[in-house]
Amino acid sequence: MDTEAGFSNSWWERVKYYARLAIKRVESGVESVKELLSTLTIDERCGVMLEFEDLDLEKFAQLVADAPQWTEWMA
């Protein structure tokens, strides 16, 4: 059980790190965010976008406005 908890924490810490990177990349444009997400697993991409929205709603709204098709990146 302890191993599973450690894995979950590690996974979530990694997702939070990538979410912060994605937030920074919004300034460089949609393609920069898309490129970052393309390097992640489907689960990580979904987690990143959830965390992104929680951390910076304003930049998340900017991304959604600039790339309304962002949900397609999750597949």
Side-chain angles (χ1 to χ4, degrees), residues 18-36:
Y18 285 123
R20 290 189 298 274
L21 285 180
I23 290 167
K24 289 179 184 177
R25 285 185 172 217
V26 168
E27 299 301 321
S28 299
V30 170
E31 287 303 314
S32 183
V33 176
K34 186 176 179 181
E35 179 184 325
L36 172 67

Side-chain angles (χ1 to χ4, degrees), residues 16-73:
K16 291 193 301 187
Y17 169 76
Y18 285 123
R20 290 189 298 274
L21 285 180
I23 290 167
K24 289 179 184 177
R25 285 185 172 217
V26 168
E27 299 301 321
S28 299
V30 170
E31 287 303 314
S32 183
V33 176
K34 186 176 179 181
E35 179 184 325
L36 172 67
L37 293 174
S38 73
T39 66
L40 306 175
T41 67
I42 292 172
D43 289 344
E44 289 170 333
R45 285 191 293 259
C46 291
V48 164
M49 294 309 282
L50 289 171
E51 185 66 11
F52 185 152
E53 184 179 20
D54 284 347
L55 290 174
D56 196 327
L57 187 56
E58 185 176 312
K59 282 199 179 166
F60 184 79
Q62 179 183 343
L63 177 67
V64 169
D66 292 346
Q69 76 285 4
W70 72 270
T71 55
E72 295 172 9
W73 307 343

